[in-house]
Every structure is written in C-alpha cells, then in structure tokens.
Amino acid sequence: MTSSTSVDLNLGRREMVILGTQYAGEMKKGLFSVMHYLMPKRQILSLHSGCNMGRDGDVALFFGLSGTGKTTLSTDHNRFLIGDDEHCWGEDGVSNIEGGCYAKCIDLSKEKEPDIWNAIKFGTVLENVVFDEHTREVDYTEKTVTGNALVITLLILKCTCLLLDITENTRAAYPIEYIPNAKIPCVGPHPKNVILLACDAFGVLPPVSKLNLAQTMYHFISGYTALVAGTEDGIKEPQATFSACFGAAFIMLHPTKYAAMLAAKMQKHGATGWLVNTGWSGGSYGSGSRIKLAYTRKIIDAIHSGSLLNGNYRKTEVFGLEIPIEVEGVPSEILDPVNTWSNKKAYKETLLKLAGLFKNNFEVFVNHKIGKDGKLTEEILGAGPVF
C-alpha cells in the first residue's frame, strides 16, 4: 500500500472494499468503474456525462470533469433532468445509472443555482461543509476550517459525523426527485446534442465551437480541462490536465473503444458535437476572468433550441474550431478569444502552448485503430491543432 486510503474492486467476486475514507465519492465512482466494464460488453456505452431533455423530447449529453459545470448546466429548470453525472446509451436511448445527484456546493447561492439550493433539505447529505453549531446554518462560502467550526458529513437536521480529512470539496448528495423537473423514470430517447465541457485555464478556447465528428472524437479522447483548487487533493493552483473520455480514472477498456462506440451512435442518430469553454476569457487564470455563467447558459439554450446549429460560423487558427458570429444574449466580442486579450502576442504564445500540450497528450493514441476498419483514426488525428 502506498496510501492510508484504498478503494479495491474485485470484478470476479463483484465486491468493492473502501478503506480509510468516509467520502461518498469513492462509492459513487467505484460502481461507475464497474459499469464501464460491464456495459460495453452488452454494446451499451457508459458515459461520464450529465443528461437532460427538452419539452419536445430532444436530449443533450454534457461531458466534463469535476468543476466544468456539468451538474450546473444539466440542471435546467426549462428542461427535464435525466441525470447529472453517470449514464448509459443503449439501443433504446439513454438512462441514468444513479438515483440522485452529487453536486458541488462551494459558493452555492439560491440566485445562481436555485434547483440545487432547493434540493438541500431533509434527506440530503452534505459533505465537508462548515456550519454554525447553534443555528445549523451552512456557510457555503467557507472553504477552510477556522475557529471552532466543524468540517462534517451532515444528514440535514439529523446527525453529524466528524471527518478526519479536511478538503475544500464541499458536496451535496440528494435524491433525483428533489429536483422538481426530474424525469421519472430517468430515461430518454437518443441524444440530439453532445456537449463537451472544458474549463480552459489558459483562456484561449472559444466559449462555444461546433464540432464535426472527427473533432468531437479528438476532444472526447483528449478530455481537456483544468483542475481548479478544491476539486482534486493537492491542487492549489489551476493546471491543465487531460483525462481520456472525460473520465480516465473510471474507464476499464482502452479510451478508443468508448470513442468508437460514441462515434457510431452519433452517426447513427444524427447527433451534433459541441465544445463549450466554461473557463477563462481575456487572459489566463490570474489575469483574465471566468466566463459568466449567464453567458454559458445562453449558449446552451441556443444549442438546445437549434438556433446555433443554423448560424453563421468562422474558423479559428491553430485548433480549426468553428465559432459562431453571434449568439443571442452573449456579447459577440467574446465569441472569438483573441478579441478579449489586450496583449495579442501573449494570446498567440498561450494558444500555441496549449496546442502543444494537446499534441503531446495525444501521442499515446496515434497507433490505435478506431472503429472496425480503422478509417476514423486518420480523420481524428487530422482534427487536432495544426501549427
């Protein structure tokens, strides 16, 4: 053992043992890993994604790592929530693996995320939060332990349990039916849109790009985002990271196996791929600013409505991404990242730096054939940055 904590799976005996931690995330992701092994054997694609459905039955998938906005953006009061994190895509459509949601609640407010806020009531489990012992009011802005505050696992109004490991990763776990517009049972038809979320700490990816199939596969296999403070243990400053299929820690087979299945399903059912940056604009982390959630929501709304699919586009340099000329409710100048940087030279240098990171990360996938005839391999390699 290299750690005092371990999560052990025995697929043959169908057993999982968790030692040295009381964090619910290990249970959740342990079972998710099992699904990544069992489902593909049944020709069902297991997905680290959020999923919701419009009034007309249009389904959208949201891929993204922790902190990219997957839970926030899939929880939309104008649409039915199928689930916020773990799904399967089979012959009949999509289905939720879980019976609830596991939402980050750092800086949570009723104004920004009313559905998640209102879901925190009796029966909800809060982890790692700081609260007043007398009033039992939770302070969602608190990220560290000060004074006599306790960091706890809390069953609302019921019991408390002291945690030994202090982290900034505050969470709320609640049943899916606590979301008023949840779709029960949590199933839906085949997806119309596949949205890849990235929190770009470099500030050079556009707020939204329309992807062709090869680009969707390239960015799905790459799984780029930035680890933001509090999401992963030991990360105090955001840094670029790549996690294949937006869930390398959970997948059991080679990433290209899942990519080939996703490509086949998107082609068969006519789904469109999108890359949405929920990270920085106007500069890298530290100099730029986070793209406003209100703007990202407007972009997602335009994807759902279909208006963005039929808009006018232009192609960016290096990454060759198709970016819209305009999106209703979003300032046009931010749609092309170069416009938001005052130092154009620094922008170009940062863009090339990120492109280099993408290229280096993808080297390990170059020799793998994707699809039955391997035809997709060359197309996907050509969909990466050119510089």
Side-chain angles (χ1 to χ4, degrees):
M1 300 296 292
T2 58
S3 169
S4 59
T5 300
S6 73
V7 181
D8 307 284
L9 283 171
N10 187 318
L11 294 169
R13 289 167 56 175
R14 299 196 173 211
E15 290 181 353
M16 179 168 68
V17 178
I18 301 172
L19 300 172
T21 175
Q22 295 180 357
Y23 180 50
E26 282 89 5
M27 292 185 285
K28 170 187 168 72
K29 293 306 182 186
L31 267 295
F32 193 31
S33 297
V34 173
M35 294 297 276
H36 274 307
Y37 176 75
L38 295 177
M39 292 301 100
K41 288 180 173 292
R42 303 181 186 183
Q43 301 308 307
I44 297 171
L45 177 59
S46 46
L47 305 165
H48 185 208
S49 70
C51 184
N52 64 25
M53 186 181 81
R55 308 289 174 182
D56 298 326
D58 59 296
V59 169
L61 292 175
F62 295 81
F63 287 94
L65 294 173
S66 194
T68 58
K70 186 167 77 281
T71 297
T72 300
L73 295 171
S74 58
T75 306
D76 184 334
H77 67 274
N78 293 314
R79 294 172 66 83
F80 298 109
L81 179 69
I82 294 175
D84 76 325
D85 194 48
E86 303 177 2
H87 293 86
C88 286
W89 187 352
E91 283 301 309
D92 300 320
V94 292
S95 59
N96 189 355
I97 294 172
E98 304 177 285
C101 300
Y102 193 53
K104 288 173 68 68
C105 51
I106 286 180
D107 295 326
L108 179 68
S109 69
K110 189 173 184 179
E111 293 71 33
K112 286 183 180 179
E113 297 172 274
D115 287 338
I116 296 173
W117 177 275
N118 292 329
I120 299 176
K121 55 187 178 181
F122 180 75
T124 293
V125 177
L126 292 181
E127 289 187 324
N128 299 343
V129 298
V130 174
F131 75 105
D132 187 290
E133 289 184 71
H134 302 290
T135 66
R136 300 181 68 81
E137 286 188 12
V138 178
D139 184 353
Y140 293 108
T141 64
E142 269 291 343
K143 302 173 186 178
T144 56
V145 183
T146 56
N148 295 320
L150 291 176
V151 175
I152 55 121
T153 297
L154 166 68
L155 181 58
I156 294 290
L157 302 179
K158 203 72 175 174
C159 66
T160 61
C161 174
L162 183 65
L163 279 181
L164 297 178
D165 293 320
I166 296 170
T167 77
E168 294 178 357
N169 195 11
T170 56
R171 293 275 184 169
Y174 47 86
I176 190 77
E177 56 267 27
Y178 279 19
I179 298 296
N181 58 331
K183 187 177 183 302
I184 308 294
C186 303
V187 297
H190 297 287
K192 180 180 177 182
N193 292 295
V194 174
I195 301 167
L196 311 182
L197 301 171
C199 175
D200 177 29
F202 290 94
V204 295
L205 289 183
V208 61
S209 313
K210 183 171 67 174
L211 306 175
N212 58 35
L213 185 63
Q215 287 176 319
T216 304
M217 295 305 98
Y218 181 88
H219 288 279
F220 176 71
I221 294 171
S222 296
Y224 166 70
T225 192
L227 293 179
V228 179
T231 303
E232 302 292 342
D233 186 41
I235 303 297
K236 299 303 179 185
E237 292 294 331
Q239 62 181 28
T241 189
F242 296 89
S243 183
C245 308
F246 293 94
F250 323 123
I251 59 177
M252 293 283 199
L253 310 177
H254 194 277
T256 56
K257 298 288 186 183
Y258 302 98
M261 289 184 71
L262 181 61
K265 290 183 180 296
M266 288 182 68
Q267 274 188 313
K268 182 177 180 180
H269 302 289
T272 303
W274 305 88
L275 179 64
V276 174
N277 174 23
T278 62
W280 276 258
S281 178
S284 299
Y285 174 82
S287 59
S289 57
R290 191 82 186 258
I291 295 170
K292 291 182 179 179
L293 178 60
Y295 294 158
T296 303
R297 286 199 184 279
K298 287 290 185 182
I299 287 168
I300 299 298
D301 288 344
I303 291 173
H304 290 324
S305 70
S307 64
L308 204 54
L309 184 63
N310 302 314
N312 295 316
Y313 286 80
R314 63 171 176 267
K315 186 173 286 190
T316 66
E317 60 177 348
V318 183
F319 278 89
L321 298 170
E322 295 283 342
I323 59 174
I325 303 297
E326 60 180 0
V327 178
E328 186 179 351
V330 181
S332 296
E333 60 270 16
I334 76 166
L335 295 175
D336 191 341
V338 69
N339 296 331
T340 65
W341 284 61
S342 57
N343 188 333
K344 307 302 182 189
K345 182 182 178 184
Y347 165 79
K348 187 63 180 288
E349 290 173 349
T350 308
L351 179 65
L352 292 174
K353 179 181 179 181
L354 182 59
L357 292 173
F358 265 87
K359 187 174 181 179
N360 291 340
N361 172 73
F362 216 83
E363 287 295 325
V364 296
F365 304 112
V366 170
N367 296 321
H368 287 272
K369 299 297 180 185
I370 301 176
K372 288 184 179 180
D373 53 10
K375 282 184 179 179
L376 271 175
T377 306
E378 196 171 320
E379 291 180 34
I380 292 171
L381 291 176
V386 178
F387 58 102

